[in-house]
Amino acid sequence: VCVCSAAALCVGVGSFSDPSDLPGLAHFLEHMVFMGSEKYPSENGFDAFLKKHGGSDNASTDCERTIFQFDVQRKSFKEALDRWAQFFICPLMIRDAIDREVEAVDSEYQLAKPSDSHRKEMLFGSLAKPGHPMGKFCWGNAQTLKHEPKKKKINVYKRLRAFWKKHYSAHYMTLAVHALSKPDFSDMLDPFDTPAFNKLYRVVPVRKVHALNITWALPPQEKYYRVKPLHYISWLIGHEGTGSILSVLRKKCWALALFGGNSETGFDQNTTYSIFSISITLTDEGFHNFYEVKKISLFFSLLSFLICLFVHAFRIYEEIQKIEANEFHYQEQIDPIEYAEDICENMQLFPKEDFLTGDQLMFEFDPEVSSSVINGALSLLTPEKANLMLLSPEHEGQCPLREKWFGTQYSVEDTQQEWMERWTGNLELNSELTLPAENKFIATDFTLKPSDCPDTEFPVRIAESDRGCLWYKKDNKFKIPKAYIRFHLISPVIQKSAKNVVLFDLLVNILCHNLAEPAYEAEVAQLEYKLVAGEHGLVINVKGFNHKLPLLFHLIIDHLADFSASPDVFSMFAEQLKKTYFNILIKPEKLGKDVRLLILEHSRWSMVEKYQALTAGLTSNELMDFSRNLKAELYAEGLVQGNFNSAVSRWQFSKLPAEVPVIFRVVELPLKHHICKVKSLNKGDANSEVTVYYQSGLKLLREHTLMELLVMHMEEPCFDFLRTKETLGYHVYPTCRNTSGVLGFSVTVETQATKFNTELVELKIEEFLASFEETLNSLTKEAFNTQVTALVKLKECEDTHLGEEVDRNWAEVLTQQFVFDRLNREIEALKQMTRAELVSWFKEHRGQNSRKLSVHVVGFGAEENDEEGGGKKQEGEGGKAEDVSGSTYGEVSKLTFLSASPKMAGAVAIMDIPAFIEGLPLFPYHKILE
């Protein structure tokens, strides 16, 4: 049995300590310390070692802390720890690696630029007082770490080493003696006590979304961790049940979601201040009603309401304590690497007696002390101290200002005096607002139940009819009072047309909306549910303490059986679904996947087709007709696992007229290289993605396991060649592909059109695959056996919690394969594999016999014409790169196909997907059973 060990190191220094002339240096150093050490000089030697021994690693830079972590199989932990420690003792940080890794940092920055959350953070940070570190550009990019230093004759190499020598010292690190003081910013309080803060900011987001953020900058709250005042206030403000502010807004069709609180990241909470924010996702109608004074008054009415009734809310605080104490006491084990990361950071924040509990429990509610702390925080949440940020694509063309680093378009104005007078006056308490009622979903029975079915290693089928089947397994391993219920409600109605797929998406979204209030108290009580609109049916996932779990499950089933949608709610969600589809399509990685699967999976409806069907116009009557037709043809497959007996479902399902497959049929690609190049649908995004896919065909379990082994061998060389040496992008990776039962593998690179032409990237991927073939040819038997052993150990690892076992069993039910002992079969297959078999398997996918498909999503770069013309690196000789930071909302209802250049010799360009796949043979439905 494999058991993983893990370690994490928290260095008490972060981006707050960046020198003013080298923004992003702390983040850059986090990258550089992993690029080899004096004792182990290979740049990717540590990653290669971890891959061979079933491990992984990561790191992150925050405002005041930098965290490094890794995990590995226990027998290799000692050597891994030594290799890891050398990064902090004597990292190489050679000059050549520095120049190349800057490109990786820049690529990470470019990938982050289209993220509205990151853009909002940078804009918010820019409102801090001049000289306060909240205003620093923490990411770093090629401009701040390469081009500007070169102009100013700054030696980045020397400065990086000096920064490491000064800050990467034992007395700044957790798990070492704190003999000296670490960097201290606690004297730089009130960073947002500036005229720029208490204003209204209109922002143009990248995604199509309307959102209102109300934010306060409070004194640091970390010292109150035993009371957790912001957590308590966020619990009340974020309440979504009857009588909540979100309930009032939903009834008006003004809002879809509301979140309140503090994320406890370094940006939201550090030694200089703590954020408290309320974020509301608005509907179109909600956005257009923003300017009605009464609307925002609801929020401040709620705050007044909380302050007035706080003295009567002891019951709620005690209820929260009980819920979180239950969850802590019966929590499932988490991955060692995640646990180590949490603990090393907690050791920077809490005294030793609270290392394990400081971030999880609400320790005490002394009526005098706690009331004082909570009331103190509440008293600061006043209108005149708030920052308002209103995000909407309708602000396009009205926002002349740009944030420096992410290019976020915004405008700023004073809050209207009429609003402020109303908000700061005697607000009338809204009669619809109430404190949460007593929660009927809180578990009180934690006894372990006897099973009414045989004790088996794998799930057994306990019920089967022409309407459905149910699988069951009693938990006798983890022995916790929790359970999982999962159902797949399959219907042939869904895939009949793009219109039906859209109506199904709407049905699931509105069903979630209808459940939001009645099911909210269950979520509060640590019962979780998730409804997913799958390709062929509705997936219902429910988990938590088994005592009250049936209440939640039956609540969901009842709401589905009695589904309804008013015209107003339908219109609200139809508009929101348009935004959802748009926001998916403008992401290169999502568009690339959509195009690839549209080519490979027969009868799949693309996101563009769904968007077209939705914009053509649908009605609530059509939705109700679809709902009735859906429920008339349902087949249910379920899994119940945990501290439960088998009497779970009471709903009767309808018989299907014929068996409905839960996978698509797959197109058999021709024996030729085909390339499909499409233009990105976000005109403000420079990010491109290239995926080169090789199709294997219908294979058995043994070949799937062999492909997994091949990709495992490929991971580190792929990273080393395409990212470390060629610096093509931040994300580069090989993947084992199981496309509706058809096997294949791919290599993906996410890059930027401002740096590289996608065809050049593809040629570099081919260079890598050619070099990898040489690597495989020279692979020793010992190295092959080491990799096989590592993969076997990974598959032998015990589940750390019940959810892992459930996920694995559920995958078998969801795909109707039911090979619950798949891991055992894969392990046996691995033990019989040979080096020659692996080499031969790779060569089968190359050359004359390869079925190869390349999908390029081309970002917007400096020289648009070059992208179509060939493999030129787009650096824009003598010319300035196009500003791609803006948010320009382009047309997403159709794809723009690009031709391949002569440099892609032998490749056939796909300019019309339906025409390409017409007449191609289809693989039969295939399940990987043996």
Side-chain angles (χ1 to χ4, degrees):
V1 173
C2 162
V3 179
C4 284
S5 296
L9 178 74
C10 184
V11 186
V13 66
S15 57
F16 272 10
S17 298
D18 282 346
S20 58
D21 58 348
L22 284 172
L25 191 65
H27 180 210
F28 187 34
L29 179 59
E30 172 226 301
H31 278 241
M32 283 305 306
V33 295
F34 275 110
M35 303 291 286
S37 64
E38 291 181 13
K39 186 174 179 180
Y40 302 100
S42 173
E43 284 187 1
N44 289 299
F46 185 61
D47 280 335
F49 180 84
L50 293 181
K51 295 297 181 189
K52 287 180 181 178
H53 301 287
S56 64
D57 64 328
N58 208 341
S60 59
T61 304
D62 214 323
C63 294
E64 296 177 301
R65 290 176 292 281
T66 303
I67 298 178
F68 301 85
Q69 69 269 9
F70 79 92
D71 63 357
V72 73
Q73 291 165 5
R74 180 164 291 174
K75 69 173 185 177
S76 303
F77 181 67
K78 184 176 180 180
E79 183 178 348
L81 189 62
D82 181 51
R83 289 173 175 268
W84 189 63
Q86 297 303 316
F87 292 143
F88 311 107
I89 297 169
C90 51
L92 280 183
M93 294 194 288
I94 59 176
R95 292 179 187 272
D96 178 56
I98 284 177
D99 289 341
R100 285 183 278 109
E101 196 62 21
V102 163
E103 297 302 327
V105 172
D106 187 73
S107 181
E108 186 178 1
Y109 157 72
Q110 296 291 348
L111 289 169
K113 280 184 73 174
S115 164
D116 283 323
S117 60
H118 293 319
R119 296 166 80 89
K120 185 177 68 177
E121 276 191 358
M122 289 306 302
L123 176 57
F124 190 86
S126 71
L127 308 182
K129 295 174 181 176
H132 193 282
M134 280 303 301
K136 290 185 174 183
F137 174 51
C138 59
W139 289 84
N141 59 15
Q143 178 187 342
T144 66
L145 297 169
K146 185 176 182 180
H147 304 311
E148 287 297 325
K150 189 175 181 180
K151 288 180 184 177
K152 298 175 181 177
K153 298 183 178 179
I154 297 172
N155 190 322
V156 177
Y157 173 75
K158 288 186 177 179
R159 295 288 294 279
L160 189 71
R161 280 204 162 273
F163 190 90
W164 167 77
K165 187 173 182 179
K166 178 179 179 181
H167 295 295
Y168 275 50
S169 180
H171 56 271
Y172 293 162
M173 297 175 178
T174 305
L175 305 177
V177 176
H178 289 57
L180 301 173
S181 60
K182 64 183 180 183
D184 185 6
F185 300 91
S186 59
D187 61 335
M188 304 180 73
L189 300 173
D190 302 320
F192 296 104
D193 185 14
T194 65
F197 185 78
N198 307 117
K199 293 183 183 293
L200 169 64
Y201 286 78
R202 303 176 198 271
V203 177
V204 181
V206 174
R207 298 178 303 133
K208 276 196 174 179
V209 64
H210 302 304
L212 172 64
N213 294 289
I214 307 174
T215 306
W216 291 267
L218 311 177
Q221 299 289 307
E222 285 181 341
K223 62 183 177 181
Y224 301 125
Y225 75 92
R226 295 187 69 81
V227 176
K228 294 184 173 58
L230 299 188
H231 182 54
Y232 173 65
I233 297 169
S234 68
W235 189 287
L236 295 179
I237 290 178
H239 171 56
E240 298 181 18
T242 304
S244 67
I245 189 167
L246 183 58
S247 173
V248 175
L249 293 174
R250 279 175 170 157
K251 288 176 183 175
K252 295 176 178 289
C253 291
W254 280 0
L256 297 165
L258 182 151
F259 303 96
N262 179 295
S263 69
E264 298 182 6
T265 63
F267 187 90
D268 272 19
Q269 184 156 287
N270 51 60
T271 57
T272 73
Y273 85 114
S274 291
I275 275 181
F276 188 86
S277 62
I278 301 172
S279 179
I280 308 102
T281 302
L282 302 171
T283 62
D284 287 355
E285 185 176 352
F287 170 74
H288 294 131
N289 277 282
F290 169 80
Y291 299 101
E292 286 191 9
V293 178
K294 290 183 180 179
K295 181 174 187 300
I296 299 188
S297 296
L298 278 172
F299 301 107
F300 297 111
S301 175
L302 174 63
L303 293 175
S304 297
F305 172 75
L306 289 176
I307 293 170
C308 291
L309 295 186
F310 173 72
V311 293
H312 304 295
F314 294 169
R315 170 187 62 81
I316 295 176
Y317 194 96
E318 291 172 348
E319 193 173 89
I320 299 170
Q321 277 185 306
K322 182 190 300 182
I323 290 169
E324 299 201 339
N326 287 345
E327 182 61 22
F328 180 78
H329 185 72
Y330 295 105
Q331 66 182 302
E332 296 187 53
Q333 184 178 331
I334 63 175
D335 290 335
I337 189 171
E338 183 181 344
Y339 186 68
E341 180 186 358
D342 290 344
I343 297 303
C344 81
E345 188 169 12
N346 284 356
M347 295 179 80
Q348 299 261 347
L349 300 173
F350 310 119
K352 60 183 180 182
E353 62 269 20
D354 295 329
F355 284 168
L356 302 181
T357 57
D359 60 340
Q360 298 193 52
L361 296 181
M362 299 176 78
F363 294 89
E364 56 196 35
F365 187 79
D366 179 279
E368 292 186 11
V369 176
S370 300
S371 296
S372 174
V373 171
I374 295 172
N375 271 321
L378 276 170
S379 67
L380 298 172
L381 306 183
T382 59
E384 62 272 16
K385 294 182 179 179
N387 170 273
L388 303 179
M389 205 171 279
L390 184 63
L391 289 76
S392 173
E394 294 192 20
H395 291 153
E396 181 84 20
Q398 304 170 29
C399 297
L401 303 176
R402 283 181 182 255
E403 187 274 324
K404 179 179 179 180
W405 297 109
F406 279 55
T408 305
Q409 300 175 53
Y410 72 98
S411 67
V412 58
E413 61 193 71
D414 291 328
T415 307
Q416 292 184 20
Q417 187 62 32
E418 177 191 358
W419 298 358
M420 194 58 68
E421 288 176 358
R422 177 174 176 85
W423 299 343
T424 55
N426 293 321
L427 284 172
E428 180 181 345
L429 295 182
N430 189 298
S431 60
E432 296 180 79
L433 298 172
T434 61
L435 288 172
E438 188 171 351
N439 193 331
K440 66 180 181 181
F441 288 97
I442 297 177
T444 56
D445 181 1
F446 302 104
T447 58
L448 298 180
K449 309 299 181 188
S451 173
D452 58 353
C453 285
D455 182 15
T456 59
E457 183 180 359
F458 301 110
V460 294
R461 186 183 278 127
I462 59 170
E464 183 174 24
S465 69
D466 54 13
R467 294 179 176 85
C469 70
L470 181 64
W471 298 81
Y472 169 80
K473 183 178 183 299
K474 178 74 170 69
D475 169 38
N476 288 315
K477 177 180 179 181
F478 296 96
K479 298 182 179 179
I480 55 173
K482 294 185 178 181
Y484 290 73
I485 303 173
R486 296 188 176 179
F487 270 86
H488 188 199
L489 309 185
I490 307 163
S491 175
V493 173
I494 299 168
Q495 287 292 335
K496 285 184 176 178
S497 66
K499 177 181 175 181
N500 276 17
V501 176
V502 173
L503 287 169
F504 183 52
D505 284 346
L506 282 168
L507 183 147
V508 176
N509 288 348
I510 295 174
L511 177 60
C512 291
H513 170 77
N514 294 344
L515 280 165
E517 282 190 30
Y520 179 71
E521 296 300 341
E523 289 189 278
V524 168
Q526 305 293 340
L527 304 183
E528 300 178 30
Y529 74 95
K530 186 177 182 181
L531 307 182
V532 179
E535 301 284 1
H536 304 277
L538 172 63
V539 179
I540 302 175
N541 294 341
V542 183
K543 71 172 184 176
F545 291 111
N546 57 275
H547 181 208
K548 299 295 180 71
L549 202 58
L551 285 179
L552 175 59
F553 178 71
H554 291 137
L555 181 71
I556 294 169
I557 294 300
D558 290 344
H559 272 73
L560 177 58
D562 300 328
F563 177 80
S564 64
S566 69
D568 285 347
V569 169
F570 174 85
S571 297
M572 176 173 71
F573 278 93
E575 285 303 315
Q576 188 62 26
L577 191 58
K578 286 181 190 176
K579 296 185 180 72
T580 300
Y581 288 164
F582 178 94
N583 294 337
I584 290 171
L585 285 167
I586 63 173
K587 295 180 179 179
E589 68 277 14
K590 299 290 187 182
L591 180 58
K593 177 181 177 181
D594 199 50
V595 170
R596 176 172 53 83
L597 293 182
L598 182 61
I599 294 171
L600 293 175
E601 294 186 331
H602 183 65
S603 299
R604 164 183 279 274
W605 302 103
S606 72
M607 192 63 68
V608 169
E609 290 170 314
K610 289 162 65 175
Y611 187 84
Q612 291 170 341
L614 183 56
T615 53
L618 298 171
T619 67
S620 58
N621 287 335
E622 287 178 300
L623 176 62
M624 294 310 299
D625 288 341
F626 172 81
S627 172
R628 285 187 285 271
N629 293 335
L630 176 82
K631 288 182 286 187
E633 295 185 52
L634 275 184
Y635 180 88
E637 290 186 319
L639 171 68
V640 176
Q641 194 164 340
N643 188 38
F644 239 149
N645 57 39
S646 60
V648 179
S649 176
R650 68 186 185 197
W651 202 35
Q652 295 297 311
F653 300 96
S654 302
K655 181 180 179 180
L656 291 181
E659 182 182 359
V660 179
V662 292
I663 56 175
F664 294 98
R665 291 189 67 183
V666 176
V667 169
E668 183 177 1
L669 293 174
L671 290 173
K672 198 170 183 64
H673 178 199
H674 286 80
I675 180 171
C676 185
K677 292 176 63 177
V678 297
K679 197 69 180 170
S680 170
L681 296 175
N682 180 1
K683 294 182 180 179
D685 190 1
N687 289 299
S688 300
E689 184 188 76
V690 177
T691 294
V692 179
Y693 167 77
Y694 288 87
Q695 188 180 70
S696 304
L698 299 181
K699 303 295 178 183
L700 299 179
L701 182 145
R702 179 182 177 83
E703 285 85 4
H704 279 254
T705 308
L706 185 59
M707 184 66 84
E708 193 177 355
L709 180 65
L710 176 68
V711 169
M712 191 175 186
H713 270 279
M714 201 182 290
E715 284 177 342
E716 191 280 327
C718 178
F719 185 93
D720 182 58
F721 189 100
L722 297 174
R723 175 176 155 168
T724 304
K725 291 186 171 64
E726 296 293 339
T727 66
L728 295 178
Y730 183 71
H731 288 142
V732 304
Y733 53 91
T735 307
C736 180
R737 300 281 184 189
N738 179 351
T739 307
S740 289
V742 174
L743 185 60
F745 80 91
S746 67
V747 177
T748 299
V749 173
E750 295 179 16
T751 187
Q752 286 77 44
T754 47
K755 297 179 180 179
F756 296 102
N757 181 297
T758 59
E759 292 186 358
L760 175 67
V761 172
E762 165 136 354
L763 292 174
K764 290 296 182 182
I765 291 174
E766 280 304 307
E767 280 185 35
F768 158 67
L769 291 172
S771 71
F772 179 69
E773 184 170 342
E774 295 177 5
T775 301
L776 274 186
N777 285 332
S778 60
L779 184 69
T780 65
K781 184 177 180 180
E782 181 183 10
F784 171 80
N785 289 338
T786 297
Q787 201 77 66
V788 168
T789 301
L791 187 52
V792 167
K793 291 295 183 184
L794 276 178
K795 293 180 180 295
E796 286 179 340
C797 276
E798 289 190 6
D799 298 315
T800 58
H801 56 85
L802 179 59
E804 289 186 352
E805 183 182 325
V806 173
D807 287 343
R808 191 169 58 253
N809 290 333
W810 177 239
E812 297 296 331
V813 175
L814 194 63
T815 58
Q816 295 181 339
Q817 296 181 95
F818 313 118
V819 185
F820 297 110
D821 64 341
R822 186 178 300 275
L823 277 180
N824 295 341
R825 298 188 189 192
E826 289 174 342
I827 289 169
E828 287 306 309
L830 279 168
K831 291 177 178 179
Q832 297 171 21
M833 287 176 186
T834 65
R835 173 195 165 280
E837 190 177 4
L838 180 70
V839 175
S840 174
W841 176 248
F842 178 72
K843 290 181 178 180
E844 283 180 25
H845 293 81
R846 307 276 291 156
Q848 299 278 330
N849 296 322
S850 67
R851 302 179 189 276
K852 178 182 174 185
L853 172 66
S854 301
V855 176
H856 296 200
V857 177
V858 182
F860 285 77
E863 300 174 31
E864 296 302 314
N865 292 332
D866 282 348
E867 188 55 63
E868 298 183 43
K872 178 180 177 183
K873 183 175 179 179
Q874 297 188 358
E875 291 180 335
E877 285 182 39
K880 187 177 180 181
E882 178 186 69
D883 184 358
V884 295
S885 58
S887 175
T888 305
Y889 297 98
E891 177 59 56
V892 299
S893 60
K894 64 179 180 180
L895 296 176
T896 300
F897 292 85
L898 304 175
S899 60
S901 77
K903 290 193 176 183
M904 301 304 294
V908 179
I910 299 174
M911 306 297 289
D912 184 329
I913 293 176
F916 168 68
I917 62 178
E918 185 177 1
L920 289 179
L922 302 177
F923 289 111
Y925 290 117
H926 181 61
K927 298 176 183 179
I928 309 156
L929 303 180
E930 58 183 37

